[in-house]
């Protein structure tokens, strides 16, 4: 039998640093002149002035207040952030979010012919109330000296006080009944302490109290728990620095009890040690029962402060751990050897069972685990019981995205079992923290057959933008007719269902890939490989994201006739760009199918939901790097290009649903991109991707360009059956097949 053709590694050896490609934006069509902007905005600012004057001193901590500035939809890009105007008015950026508006004037034919509201950035700005009152009075005669300030002022479509929609829908209950609420304030750690103290004084004046000691800080947002009746919400909304008010969600395992869907059966566990015991894996869940029988591979741990164990949560924890170690159990023989050993952290206890604010306590425990030691793989199959919203980020999401931003850990998160909830209200959408950009959100498929579908209970996307494609992946999660078989004891099993088990199964696929080779695979590479080989079947992207993870390790780590999978692992230079050459062999005939998946992790700005990720990639595909584009005339001048021509590859039109975020640069800020393109082999001459690292901070241009690691998974397909060998030969030995560990060499043939 022929030896398997394993993944080809070393793609980064086909790269070189190049000059950053020029970014030509052309002439900008502006909807308003400065004088028109003054005339339009003077009445709005007068209304803001009346609202500010009516606020009490307690509603404006330290004499400061907040206004919302909405830019015209044509100014979405970071280069139009009004930094000079903000400095001129001595204001402070607090955050931003996306709104959809119909502007008074449009500047493009595309917008004129599209009656739908357009996405626009709403920026929250803080400053002295007295100064804002004075500016509103002086605006009709205001003529700033700086031309940049004038230019940025005309970008504004609307000025307003923070909107009432900051209060999310609350339960239909007695208006005087105390409800557990989550309060979100614009308040930075340290600098924003006066805001938190001011809110404490403000709610005390209403006869209420807030638990300041249990607050959670996430960049420029502060999350606070409090009790308040529904009738008091309009008064609470008067506090200037309030970002959001909503019901405090409860923390539940996403499938809280292991439901027996089949009669119990006996299980024979393997006797061998894990394939790659050096890998560090953590499962954060409900704990394990005393007689779990997994001591050979699992170490029980509990987070500080956690209460006594809950039996149902332990059953859930055992089932989740079983799913990672063995996948769906085999009823007719011994189970497969686990890919790695596991630290199972119990983060649920009876201390939070009656705690309305357990969201904060459980998140504290997760943060402790991930902050105290490095893990290669992590699974979380529990979270807040609420669907995501486009305009605000959850404390769980922002905390985990920050903890995982270094790109060292592959983390899978179950996306939720609310897929059959009301679609019109958005209650079917994925649950936090699976909307994060630095983790893998996993939904569930209904079976392992080729004709699979999304399991009915599995939560849907889309996610927020960035992070639009959610769930990232789906994996088998079980149904009543095809249950997911898990352990209930050291030698007993049963059947269950839930995204709780699909998530660790997907993580198992990643760990098996890592355990397969001597060469290290980075966390972005593992995520990229899972996405690259996922297939959506007949399901929509909103339901299954990029598709179902292959349940065969063979599909993930080997190549078939006529195809070559190449892995690039590269760190971006602090300046400049990287050219990644595609190893297309010479003398190919016919067509070449090119599939490329880019993946990276990055820092985030939780308070800026419209500009959440701080890093992005600009990717240009050049089919022929030896030919320059022909000269052309622009504005009467002859332009002679100095770079090879580009061809579209990662475009936005086929990526975003038109009813969501229709912005030209949106895909540049996504942390995962995957596309396919077919080209004539004769048109390819040392083709390459030119990749530039772009950064932003709070939606504005950022001069700091931190080093990030990214991965490219590339597949070339052609009718030549020996394509794999020709790709390696054409690289002049810079590319080499990845070397499997001797002891797991044969296991590539097995099912996951």
């Amino acid at each position: 039998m022929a030896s398997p053709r394993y993944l080809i590694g070393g793609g980064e050896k086909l790269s070189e640093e190049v000059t950053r490609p020029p970014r030509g934006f052309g002439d900008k069509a502006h909807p308003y002149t400065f004088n028109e902007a003054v005339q339009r905005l003077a009445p709005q600012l007068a209304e803001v002035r009346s609202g500010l004057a009516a606020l009490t001193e307690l509603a404006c901590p330290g004499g400061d207040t907040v206004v919302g500035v909405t830019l015209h939809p044509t100014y979405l890009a970071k280069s139009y952030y009004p930094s000079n105007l903000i400095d001129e008015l001595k204001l402070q950026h607090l955050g931003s979010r996306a709104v959809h508006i119909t502007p008074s004037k449009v500047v493009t034919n595309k917008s004129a012919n599209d009656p739908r509201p357009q996405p626009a950035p709403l920026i929250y700005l803080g400053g002295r109330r007295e100064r804002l009152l004075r500016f509103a009075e002086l605006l009709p005669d205001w003529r700033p000296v700086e031309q940049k300030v004038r230019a940025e002022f005309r970008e504004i479509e609307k000025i307003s006080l923070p909107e009432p929609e900051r209060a999310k829908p609350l339960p239909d209950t007695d208006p005087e009944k105390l409800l557990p609420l989550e309060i979100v304030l614009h308040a930075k750690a340290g600098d924003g302490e006066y805001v938190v103290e001011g809110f404490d004084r403000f709610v005390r004046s209403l006869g209420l109290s807030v638990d300041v000691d249990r607050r959670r800080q996430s960049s420029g947002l502060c999350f606070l728990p409090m009790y308040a009746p529904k009738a008091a919400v309009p008064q609470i909304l008067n506090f200037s620095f309030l970002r959001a008010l909503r019901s405090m969600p409860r923390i539940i395992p996403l499938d809280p009890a292991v439901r027996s869907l089949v009669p119990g059966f006996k299980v024979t566990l393997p006797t061998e040690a894990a394939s790659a015991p050096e890998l560090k894996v953590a499962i954060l869940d409900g704990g394990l029962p005393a007689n779990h029988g997994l001591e050979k591979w699992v170490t029980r741990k509990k987070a500080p402060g956690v209460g006594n164990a809950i039996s149902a949560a332990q059953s859930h924890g055992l089932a989740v751990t079983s799913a990672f170690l063995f996948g769906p159990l085999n009823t007719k023989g011994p189970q497969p050897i686990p890919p790695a050993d596991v630290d199972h952290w119990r983060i649920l206890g009876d201390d939070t069972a009656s705690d309305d604010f357990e969201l904060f306590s459980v998140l504290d425990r997760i943060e402790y685990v991930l902050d105290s030691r490095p893990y290669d793989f992590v699974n979380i199959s529990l979270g807040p019981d609420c669907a995501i919203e486009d305009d605000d980020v959850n404390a769980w999401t922002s905390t985990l995205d920050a903890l995982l931003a270094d790109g060292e850990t592959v983390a899978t998160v179950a996306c939720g079992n609310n897929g059959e909830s009301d679609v019109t209200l958005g209650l079917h959408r994925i649950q936090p923290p699976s909307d994060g950009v630095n983790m893998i959100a996993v939904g569930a498929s209904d079976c392992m057959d080729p004709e699979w579908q999304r399991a009915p209970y599995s939560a849907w996307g889309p996610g927020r933008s960035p992070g639009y494609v959610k769930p990232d992946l789906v994996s088998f999660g079980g149904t009543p007719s095809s249950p997911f078989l898990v352990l209930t004891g050291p030698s007993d099993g049963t059947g269950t269902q839930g995204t709780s088990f699909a998530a660790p199964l997907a993580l198992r696929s990643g760990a098996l890939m890592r355990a397969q080779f001597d060469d290290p695979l980075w966390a972005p590479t593992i995520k990229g490989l899972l996405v690259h080989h996922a297939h959506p079947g007949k399901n929509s992207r909103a339901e299954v994201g990029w598709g179902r993870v292959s349940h065969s390790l063979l599909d993930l780590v080997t190549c078939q006739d006529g195809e070559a999978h190449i892995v690039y692992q590269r760190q971006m230079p602090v300046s400049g760009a990287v050219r990644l050459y595609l190893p297309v062999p010479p003398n190919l005939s016919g067509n070449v199918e090119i599939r490329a998946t880019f993946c990276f992790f990055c820092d985030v700005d939780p308070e800026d939901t419209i500009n959440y990720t701080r890093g992005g990639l600009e990717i240009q595909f050049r089919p022929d790097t030896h030919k320059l584009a022909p000269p052309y005339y622009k504005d009467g001048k002859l332009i002679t290009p100095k770079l090879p021509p580009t061809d579209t590859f990662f475009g936005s039109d086929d990526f975003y649903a038109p009813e969501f975020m229709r912005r030209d640069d949106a895909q540049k800020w996504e942390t995962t991109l995957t596309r396919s393109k077919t080209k004539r082999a004769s048109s390819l001459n040392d083709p390459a991707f030119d990749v530039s690292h772009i950064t932003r901070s709070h939606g504005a241009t950022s001069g700091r360009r931190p080093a990030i690691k990214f991965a490219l998974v590339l597949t070339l397909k052609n009718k030549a059956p020996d394509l794999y060998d020709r790709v390696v030969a054409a690289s002049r030995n810079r590319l080499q097949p990845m070397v499997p560990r001797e002891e797991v060499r044969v296991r590539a043939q097995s099912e996951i």
Side-chain angles (χ1 to χ4, degrees), residues 333-362:
Q335 309 309 316
I337 299 171
D341 293 332
V342 170
D343 286 346
H344 184 111
W345 285 89
R346 183 165 67 81
I347 57 174
L348 294 181
D350 60 2
D351 58 309
T352 61
S354 59
D355 181 5
D356 288 326
F357 305 131
E358 63 174 346
L359 179 148
F360 289 10
S361 299
V362 177

Side-chain angles (χ1 to χ4, degrees), residues 283 319-321 323-324 379 381 412 499-509:
I283 290 177
V320 169
T321 305
F324 173 79
N379 182 80
S381 287
T412 48
T499 59
S500 287
F501 316 113
L505 181 60
L507 191 70
R508 174 180 168 81
S509 297

Side-chain angles (χ1 to χ4, degrees), residues 267-272 287-300 314 317-319 321-322 325-326 329 335 338 341-342 344 487-492:
V267 178
T268 302
L269 297 180
T271 58
E272 296 92 340
L288 298 173
N291 61 337
H292 59 83
L294 301 176
E295 292 83 1
K296 180 181 290 293
W297 311 283
V298 179
T299 301
R300 297 168 66 191
Q314 287 180 309
L318 177 59
T321 305
S322 168
L325 292 175
F326 312 113
L329 295 176
Q335 309 309 316
D341 293 332
V342 170
H344 184 111
L487 288 173
T488 57
S491 59
D492 298 300

Side-chain angles (χ1 to χ4, degrees), residues 107-123:
V107 294
T108 65
N109 291 332
K110 180 180 179 181
S111 298
N113 296 326
D114 189 346
R116 295 171 298 182
Q118 302 173 40
L122 167 58
I123 304 171

Side-chain angles (χ1 to χ4, degrees), residues 20-103:
R20 186 182 179 90
R23 304 179 67 199
F25 295 104
D27 295 331
K28 183 71 173 180
H30 300 283
Y32 312 115
T33 66
F34 174 76
N35 289 333
E36 287 175 332
V38 170
Q39 294 175 1
R40 288 184 62 259
L41 297 176
Q44 297 181 24
L45 205 50
E47 188 174 341
V48 168
R49 185 174 185 273
S50 298
L52 290 177
L55 293 176
T56 65
E57 289 188 9
L58 286 175
C60 303
D64 289 346
T65 190
V66 177
V67 294
V69 173
T70 303
L71 303 186
H72 189 280
T74 195
Y75 301 109
L76 269 170
K78 66 173 183 176
S79 55
Y80 300 113
Y81 181 82
S83 55
N84 297 286
L85 175 64
I86 292 172
D87 290 342
E88 173 79 10
L89 301 180
K90 294 181 172 57
L91 298 174
Q92 180 185 9
H93 178 100
L94 300 176
S96 63
R97 69 181 185 88
V99 293
H100 283 72
I101 63 172
T102 301

Side-chain angles (χ1 to χ4, degrees), residues 411-558:
T412 48
V413 179
C415 74
N417 296 327
N418 50 303
E420 296 176 284
S421 298
D422 195 318
V423 174
T424 59
L425 297 177
L427 300 179
H428 68 297
R429 292 180 68 181
I430 61 170
Q431 298 184 339
S434 63
D435 56 327
V437 295
N438 292 328
M439 34 198 138
I440 304 174
V442 184
S445 67
D446 62 350
C447 66
M448 300 179 74
D449 300 332
E451 297 300 316
W452 63 275
Q453 292 182 317
R454 176 186 63 86
Y457 56 80
S458 183
W460 299 25
R464 296 178 295 109
S465 180
Y468 178 74
V469 177
K470 291 286 179 177
D472 293 281
L473 303 163
V474 296
S475 188
F476 176 57
T479 60
S481 60
S482 181
F484 194 114
L485 303 182
V486 296
L487 288 173
T488 57
S491 59
D492 298 300
T494 189
T496 188
Q497 65 176 11
T499 59
S500 287
F501 316 113
L505 181 60
L507 191 70
R508 174 180 168 81
S509 297
L512 282 168
M513 284 193 291
R514 179 77 172 268
Q516 185 71 30
F517 299 109
D518 287 326
D519 300 322
L521 292 173
W522 294 354
T525 311
I526 292 172
K527 180 179 178 181
L529 282 164
L530 292 174
V531 168
H532 191 78
H533 292 290
H535 194 280
K538 298 179 181 178
N539 301 269
S540 70
R541 179 165 290 174
E543 293 188 58
V544 301
W546 299 116
R548 192 184 71 172
V549 176
S550 174
H551 291 114
S552 170
L553 182 58
L554 192 68
D555 294 340
L556 296 170
V557 300
T558 64

